[in-house]
């Protein structure tokens, strides 16, 4: 097990370097950011030259990348154009996004798995059809539509919740955005759980357990669920990263100053350090979540062993 | 019934969740009494006066700084503010006397040195200040900011401190209207802490204006309170302003509608149509010092050869400005009648009719002119725009449509999107444009000169068309040397006529500033820069 983890951690190094380099190249390919800093006005040549020099824009790409990476290992993620260190932006953005992700994740797991169990256990009946239609509806409506609709009706019209999250980002305020963010994934989780449960409920071990006279709660809760959740866990693991990085739309709609918002501003202002820095952290989150998922397999299914 | 039971539980959980959200919402809505809550965004640059060239930082600087001059929110007229007097005998050397007893919010007195040091800092190229070109007319600028190489001087030779409250400014050339620009924030005075503790200053800027920064939580909010040391006429009529950073204009608008925000000067375009009824009349829209034009690349033979003047005029007449501003913009743009903006007022050079028939929609005459001039070069034209922000696509398509309908050819004009704004501007400055492109001008100070010299003078900093006309340049020079500001403005108007006659660019429309406010406040108005005049906002409870 320990050796497996070390091997996986070592594999992360090339993945990490490769992804950061790709992102760096892509942001670089957007072109010279200096011209955009002056609005519709032609930059003063002396000032533009000065800014280019301070951002190392005149150096070749590989040199810029090396300087950037060297900075990262010293804990220096560079500065945004308004002079704020990117590390400081991360310090304020990540807690907000993590809070939102936790809320969305909890909703996704509780509601998604719950609906999946209901539907899978009662396959072909009304409850099953209901869940299928509901999830189809959720999957087919884009997040920004549900976002603006819920914001308008629940936030503005009914005034049950504040339509925009305040700068304190309290957990209570995050429920509405959490529901919106969780929506699509929740539908996938429900469908995955349903299929898996429906399949396993007819398997031999469930019949054996029932024949042994085990209480139904134990049959479903321990025997059936534990085996049926493996595909769901895989999905949930990768989804943590997707929730954190994919909150751009939700964060903008509900005024949450998190990772998505900083990334959006970084892209709009062509600020390479912001974009690369945030995506780098997201890459690490993705890699770590994947590793944890793989390790969880062994917990759920004792037949799986890592060496 | 097990399944049904769990379904009930799930439904119950959702209800509880929503209920909890409602509680969360209720508690955050309360506001401090007497404080105006206003929409804001993260400024693009550090909050230095000479480095702020966009509206988000500008909004703060407008509140925390008083300049030598200030502009009347209604007429745009420039009046002395911190300046006691600004005198000149030869239109080239100006003697500026600063009012005595003015103080920064940290108690430090405002002196002649506060201005001279600030301007020298702004001009020096190693400080990389984005508004440095504002000091380009002052003697010695080529030494502190040479186009190439390192600066050979640290200070502008044209700035001299005479005594505690007096300094002189010498310009490279005569320019009688020069003092009118001194209301622009790049010319703000700076306290000593700006130079001695720069990081501390950026964390909490100090100015001499009606408001002082109380707390600044970067990227989240800024709390401003009335400046206790302020002695000017523009004393705040409220107990402070809370600027809240919003991720999106729609989020701010939603907060405005539900009473969590008081002043929103960035009503999203898609809400404009409903804003009046949504906000129960608490909404205003008025022209701003911003216009939109289509510029021709006169450095390309195709658009510069003989007869093209007629084609360019014809194209201008083929655009139905009224229909586009109504349909695409719901009236938040006003069709252009000159090259400036209505916020200037007639006194500063705005004109209701100088563009004449060039800016009037006339399909038959337009078609005739384009034909007489030899038609569109190559038979086809494109209008380039940046596709990443401000949704230019809609109006460019509408303009092309208008031109195509007039010409009876639906392939004559098409839009040409450029991915990013940076790339778009780079193509323009490197003269790589072969076809007309959009450009906009946001005024720095309300005076016609600001709409002409940078844009159309030979070698002008933002002369994107590379237009050059000796008669035009001569008129600008003559206007600069004219001691009487009114006569100088008339000369600038004559120069404007030359640009319009040659149709260097097609004036389209003036952009409007918009503002919506809650029932919690009253007296909201916008100034010439489309910033809300916060000092005049009253809070009612």
């Amino acid at each position: 097990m320990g050796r497996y983890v070390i091997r996986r951690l070592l594999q992360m190094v090339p993945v990490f370097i490769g992804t950061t380099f790709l992102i760096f190249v892509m942001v670089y390919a957007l072109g010279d950011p200096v011209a955009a800093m002056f609005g519709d006005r032609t930059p003063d040549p002396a000032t533009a030259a000065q800014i280019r020099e301070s951002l190392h824009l005149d150096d070749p790409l590989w040199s810029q990348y090396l300087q950037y990476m060297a900075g990262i290992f010293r804990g220096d993620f560079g500065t945004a154009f308004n002079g704020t260190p990117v590390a400081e932006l991360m310090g304020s953005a990540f807690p907000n996004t993590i809070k939102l992700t936790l809320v969305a994740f909890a909703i996704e797991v509780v509601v998604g798995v719950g609906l999946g169990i209901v539907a899978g256990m009662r396959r072909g009946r009304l409850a099953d059809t209901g869940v299928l239609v509901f999830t189809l509806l959720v999957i087919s409506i884009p997040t920004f539509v549900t976002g603006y609709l819920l914001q308008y009706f629940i936030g503005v019209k009914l005034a049950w919740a504040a339509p925009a999250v305040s700068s304190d980002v309290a957990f209570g305020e995050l429920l509405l955005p959490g529901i919106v963010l969780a929506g699509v994934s929740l539908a996938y989780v429900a469908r995955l759980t349903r299929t898996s449960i429906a399949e396993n409920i007819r398997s031999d071990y469930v019949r054996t357990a029932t024949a042994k006279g085990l209480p139904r709660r134990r049959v479903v809760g321990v025997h059936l669920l534990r085996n049926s959740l493996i595909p769901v866990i895989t999905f949930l693991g990768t989804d943590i990263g997707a929730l954190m990085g994919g909150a751009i739309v939700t964060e903008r709609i509900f005024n949450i100053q998190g990772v998505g918002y900083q990334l959006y501003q970084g892209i709009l202002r062509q600020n390479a350090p912001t974009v690369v820095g945030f995506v780098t952290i997201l890459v690490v989150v993705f890699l770590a979540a994947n590793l944890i998922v793989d390790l969880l397999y062994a917990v759920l299914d004792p037949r799986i062993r890592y060496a | 019934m097990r399944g049904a039971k769990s379904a009930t539980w799930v439904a119950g959980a959702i209800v509880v969740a929503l209920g909890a959200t409602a509680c969360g919402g209720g508690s955050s809505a309360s506001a401090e009494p007497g404080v105006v809550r206003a929409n804001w965004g993260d400024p693009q640059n550090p909050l230095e006066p000479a480095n702020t060239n966009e509206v988000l930082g500008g909004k703060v600087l407008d509140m925390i700084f008083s300049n030598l001059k200030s502009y009347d929110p209604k007429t745009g007229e420039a009046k002395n503010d911190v300046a006691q007097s600004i005198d000149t005998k030869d239109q080239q050397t100006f003697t500026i006397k600063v009012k005595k007893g003015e103080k920064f919010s940290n108690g430090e007195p405002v002196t002649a040195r506060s201005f001279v040091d600030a301007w020298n800092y702004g001009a020096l190229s190693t400080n990389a200040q984005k508004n440095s070109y504002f000091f380009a007319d002052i003697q010695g600028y080529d030494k502190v900011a040479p186009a190439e190489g390192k600066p050979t001087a640290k200070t502008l030779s044209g700035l001299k401190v005479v005594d505690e409250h007096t300094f002189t400014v010498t310009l490279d050339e005569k320019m009688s209207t020069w003092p009118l620009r001194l209301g622009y924030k790049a010319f703000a005075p700076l306290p000593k802490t700006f130079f001695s503790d720069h990081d501390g200053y950026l964390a909490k800027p100090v100015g001499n204006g009606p408001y002082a920064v109380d707390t600044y939580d970067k990227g989240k909010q800024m709390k401003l309170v009335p400046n206790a040391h302020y002695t000017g006429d523009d004393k705040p009529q409220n107990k402070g302003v809370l600027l809240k950073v919003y991720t999106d204009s729609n989020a701010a608008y939603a907060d405005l509608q539900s009473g969590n925000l008081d002043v929103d000067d960035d009503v999203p375009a898609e809400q404009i149509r409903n804003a009046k009824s949504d906000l129960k009349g608490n909404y205003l829209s008025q022209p701003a010092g911003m216009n939109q034009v289509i510029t021709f690349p006169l450095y390309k033979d195709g658009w510069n050869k003989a007869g093209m003047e007629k084609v360019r005029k014809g194209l201008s007449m083929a655009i139905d400005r009224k229909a586009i501003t109504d349909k695409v913009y719901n009236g938040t743009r006003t069709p252009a009648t000159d090259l400036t903006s209505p916020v200037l007022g007639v006194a500063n050079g705005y004109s209701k009719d100088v563009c004449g028939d060039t800016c009037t929609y006339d399909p038959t005459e337009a078609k005739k002119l384009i034909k007489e001039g030899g038609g569109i070069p190559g038979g086809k034209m494109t209008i380039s725009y940046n596709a990443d922000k401000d949704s230019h696509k809609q109006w460019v398509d509408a303009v092309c449509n208008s031109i195509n309908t007039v010409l009876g050819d639906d392939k004559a004009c098409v839009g040409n999107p450029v991915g990013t704004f940076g790339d778009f501007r780079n193509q323009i400055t490197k003269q790589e444009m072969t076809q007309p492109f959009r450009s906009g001008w946001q005024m720095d100070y309300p005076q016609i000169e600001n709409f002409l010299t940078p844009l159309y003078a030979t070698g002008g900093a933002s002369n994107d068309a590379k237009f050059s006309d000796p008669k035009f340049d001569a008129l600008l020079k003559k206007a600069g040397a004219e001691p009487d500001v009114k006569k100088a403005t008339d000369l600038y108007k004559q120069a404007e006529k030359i640009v319009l006659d040659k149709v260097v660019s097609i004036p389209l429309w003036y952009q409007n500033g918009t503002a919506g406010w809650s029932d919690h406040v009253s007296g909201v108005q916008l100034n010439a820069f489309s910033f809300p005049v916060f000092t005049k906002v009253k809070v009612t409870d």
Side-chain angles (χ1 to χ4, degrees):
Chain A
M1 187 84 166
R3 204 191 277 167
Y4 174 77
V5 174
I6 291 171
R7 206 173 66 216
R8 283 289 301 267
L9 286 175
L10 284 178
Q11 279 171 358
M12 284 185 190
V13 175
V15 176
F16 178 76
I17 294 177
T19 40
T20 47
F21 185 69
L22 276 180
I23 298 155
F24 203 86
V25 172
M26 281 189 265
V27 178
Y28 188 86
L30 283 175
D32 185 356
V34 176
M37 293 178 192
F38 291 82
D40 281 317
R41 191 187 299 274
T42 307
D44 181 74
T47 314
Q50 199 62 228
I51 296 174
R52 280 204 186 91
E53 196 188 312
S54 68
L55 296 173
H56 307 293
L57 290 176
D58 294 327
D59 298 351
L61 177 59
W62 59 267
S63 155
Q64 286 188 43
Y65 178 70
L66 286 184
Q67 287 177 37
Y68 179 77
M69 286 310 268
I72 284 193
F73 285 112
R74 287 194 308 266
D76 171 17
F77 281 88
T79 46
F81 290 153
N82 64 359
T84 321
V86 174
E88 201 178 293
L89 289 180
M90 289 177 176
S92 68
F94 269 99
N96 293 347
T97 297
I98 289 172
K99 273 193 215 167
L100 176 65
T101 308
L102 281 180
V103 172
F105 194 72
I107 295 174
E108 183 182 332
V109 170
V110 173
V111 182
V113 174
L115 285 179
I117 295 173
V118 173
M121 303 275 292
R122 312 178 69 81
R123 202 159 77 129
R125 312 251 203 100
L126 186 66
D128 182 30
T129 321
V131 168
L132 284 180
V133 170
F134 168 71
T135 50
L136 184 69
L137 207 70
V138 173
I139 292 174
S140 50
I141 301 176
T143 315
F144 72 89
V145 176
T146 32
Y148 281 125
L149 281 179
L150 286 182
Q151 181 182 46
Y152 184 70
F153 285 108
I154 294 184
V156 177
K157 279 279 139 180
L158 298 171
W160 286 359
V165 174
S166 71
S167 58
D168 306 334
V169 197
F171 271 108
E173 297 176 305
L174 288 174
L175 274 168
L176 191 58
I179 291 171
V180 172
L181 180 60
V184 175
S185 305
L186 179 154
Y188 284 125
V189 168
R191 288 186 156 220
L192 270 176
T193 315
R194 173 194 171 269
T195 315
S196 194
I197 294 256
E199 207 172 283
N200 285 332
I201 204 165
R202 298 212 192 98
S203 59
D204 294 341
Y205 68 86
V206 174
R207 196 162 0 118
T208 313
T210 319
K212 270 199 301 191
L214 287 180
R216 189 171 159 81
R217 176 175 302 166
R218 202 168 157 75
V219 174
V220 175
V222 178
H223 294 259
L224 180 59
L225 264 189
R226 187 162 165 180
N227 282 292
S228 304
L229 284 186
I230 289 184
V232 181
I233 298 262
T234 317
F235 178 79
L236 287 176
T238 48
D239 203 41
I240 287 193
L243 284 179
M244 285 188 74
I248 295 189
V249 176
T250 318
E251 287 188 356
R252 280 197 74 205
I253 294 177
F254 289 99
N255 190 39
I256 301 164
Q257 280 126 25
V259 174
Y261 170 62
Q262 294 294 351
L263 267 178
Y264 172 78
Q265 269 203 331
I267 294 169
L268 207 64
R269 293 175 181 175
Q270 286 191 33
N271 190 347
T274 318
V275 179
V276 184
F278 274 91
V279 177
T280 304
I281 302 285
L282 285 181
V283 167
V284 172
V285 171
F286 257 101
L287 292 175
N290 264 326
L291 178 59
I292 292 170
V293 167
D294 285 351
L295 296 178
L296 266 183
Y297 286 157
V299 178
L300 285 173
D301 188 346
R303 284 171 301 181
I304 299 173
R305 292 250 188 284
Y306 294 115
Chain B
M1 288 308 287
R2 250 197 128 70
K5 213 169 175 183
S6 355
T8 327
W9 274 109
V10 171
I14 294 176
V15 170
V16 171
L18 286 176
T21 332
C23 301
S27 61
S28 67
S30 58
E32 263 183 84
V35 173
V36 182
R37 297 161 301 174
N39 178 12
W40 196 38
D42 209 9
Q44 200 169 343
N45 305 302
L47 287 172
E48 301 159 301
N51 204 12
T52 294
N53 58 356
E54 42 79 55
V55 292
L56 298 170
K59 191 187 276 181
V60 175
L61 297 179
D62 198 56
M63 295 161 79
I64 64 170
F65 280 105
S66 287
N67 288 310
L68 291 169
K69 293 233 174 211
S70 66
Y71 306 111
D72 187 289
K74 285 260 149 59
T75 60
E77 190 200 340
K79 296 183 212 158
N80 283 348
D81 189 347
V82 179
Q84 182 75 47
S85 64
I86 302 175
D87 298 313
T88 180
K89 289 199 183 72
D90 57 357
Q91 329 310 330
Q92 190 163 5
T93 301
F94 295 84
T95 307
I96 299 173
K97 280 198 160 59
V98 180
K99 272 185 194 155
K100 285 174 187 157
E102 295 265 338
K103 280 179 180 158
F104 288 102
S105 58
N106 62 359
E108 186 189 322
V110 178
T111 62
R113 186 137 289 288
S114 317
F115 285 95
V116 172
D117 287 349
W119 297 5
N120 277 327
Y121 181 88
L124 188 63
S125 73
T126 46
N127 291 330
Q129 300 284 296
K130 297 192 181 71
N131 286 333
S132 60
Y133 64 91
F134 267 96
F135 308 101
D137 299 313
I138 301 174
Q139 231 171 46
Y141 182 77
D142 51 340
K143 296 278 191 323
V144 296
E148 272 175 41
K150 294 262 170 260
T152 52
K154 288 244 178 227
T155 52
L156 290 162
S157 57
L159 292 179
K160 284 197 183 73
V161 176
V162 177
D163 63 38
E164 177 101 13
H165 291 99
T166 314
F167 66 105
T168 62
V169 182
T170 311
L171 305 180
D172 280 329
E173 278 178 35
K174 290 181 186 218
M175 195 183 283
S176 58
T177 55
W178 186 80
L180 294 178
R181 68 181 62 183
L182 294 177
Y184 187 66
K185 53 193 174 297
F187 294 100
L190 287 169
K192 291 200 179 80
T193 60
F194 180 89
F195 306 100
S196 57
D197 176 19
H198 195 70
D199 287 341
Y201 181 89
L202 293 183
K204 193 179 170 183
V206 173
N208 62 334
Y211 287 100
V213 179
D214 184 37
T215 53
Y216 180 20
D217 197 355
K218 268 191 190 172
K220 286 190 180 135
Q221 60 182 38
M222 179 187 267
K223 169 101 191 284
L224 296 128
V225 292
N227 176 2
H229 294 282
Y230 181 70
T231 53
D233 303 329
D234 200 20
K235 277 215 161 58
Q237 301 185 3
N238 45 54
K239 289 190 182 139
V241 177
L242 181 69
L243 295 173
K244 294 167 54 163
V245 171
Y246 280 92
T247 53
D248 186 40
S249 58
N250 276 301
Y253 188 71
D255 243 5
L256 175 70
Q257 281 179 289
S258 54
N260 294 329
L261 184 72
D262 295 323
V263 177
D264 182 6
D265 59 345
D266 183 21
V267 179
E270 54 271 31
Q271 306 284 4
I272 297 279
R273 199 193 299 260
N274 311 319
K276 249 205 173 103
S277 57
D278 278 355
L279 302 171
K280 299 177 212 89
N282 290 347
Y283 170 77
L284 74 83
S285 166
Q286 68 181 45
M290 231 181 283
N291 60 28
Q292 190 74 244
V293 302
I294 295 173
T295 302
F296 293 96
L298 296 182
Y299 45 83
K300 292 283 178 232
D301 289 340
W303 287 102
N304 200 15
K305 63 181 186 228
M308 276 304 127
E309 277 169 31
K310 276 190 176 166
V311 176
R312 298 199 297 263
K313 184 170 176 183
L315 288 171
S316 176
M317 294 174 76
I319 299 168
D320 190 352
R321 294 170 177 74
K322 179 94 182 61
I324 297 172
T325 50
D326 281 352
K327 297 244 166 67
V328 177
Y329 286 117
N330 293 308
T332 57
R333 302 285 189 281
T334 310
T337 56
D338 74 343
L339 289 171
T340 68
S341 156
V343 294
L344 267 59
V346 179
N348 288 323
Y350 166 69
S351 165
K352 249 183 235 173
D353 47 20
V354 64
C355 189
D357 53 356
T358 307
C359 291
T360 315
Y361 179 56
D362 185 346
T364 27
E365 183 66 17
K367 195 170 179 181
K368 204 177 111 208
L369 276 171
I370 294 173
K371 212 171 169 191
E372 276 175 21
I376 295 170
K380 266 187 206 170
M381 64 180 276
T382 60
I383 300 174
S384 296
Y385 59 94
N386 57 301
D388 57 346
K389 44 186 169 186
D390 303 330
S391 39
H392 294 298
K393 181 182 176 7
Q394 294 176 344
W395 71 257
V396 170
D397 286 350
V399 164
C400 272
N401 227 338
S402 195
I403 293 172
N404 291 343
T405 315
V406 166
L407 291 177
D409 170 7
D410 36 293
K411 290 200 183 81
C413 172
V414 285
N416 173 38
V418 178
T420 64
F421 183 58
D423 195 17
F424 176 69
R425 286 300 313 171
N426 269 325
Q427 288 188 23
I428 293 172
T429 48
K430 289 183 184 154
Q431 300 185 34
E432 284 167 2
M433 288 288 179
T434 54
Q435 291 284 345
F437 50 90
R438 69 147 278 263
S439 51
W441 185 253
Q442 184 171 8
M443 70 165 192
D444 305 306
Y445 44 94
Q447 223 287 321
I448 184 170
E449 187 269 330
N450 186 236
F451 288 84
L452 296 178
T453 317
L455 291 165
Y456 303 107
T458 305
S462 292
N463 188 344
D464 294 337
K466 300 293 157 204
F467 171 71
S468 178
D469 183 290
K471 253 168 77 189
F472 176 80
D473 292 345
L475 271 171
L476 288 188
K477 210 166 184 158
K478 203 171 151 201
E482 170 60 53
D484 184 62
V485 172
K486 198 182 164 311
K487 280 186 193 150
T489 305
D490 283 340
L491 286 168
Y492 282 121
K493 277 188 177 171
Q494 287 176 33
E496 180 190 18
K497 190 96 180 71
I498 294 177
V499 178
L500 284 170
D501 284 345
K502 301 210 161 179
V503 203
V504 179
S505 56
I506 300 178
L508 293 171
W509 38 75
Y510 315 114
Q511 196 161 323
N512 281 23
T514 54
W517 59 93
S518 70
D519 291 331
H520 191 57
V521 296
S522 63
V524 177
Q525 50 177 317
L526 296 174
N527 66 14
F529 298 98
S530 296
F531 295 131
V533 186
F534 284 107
T535 49
K536 299 259 191 301
V537 177
K538 287 192 180 121
V539 182
T540 50
D541 287 287

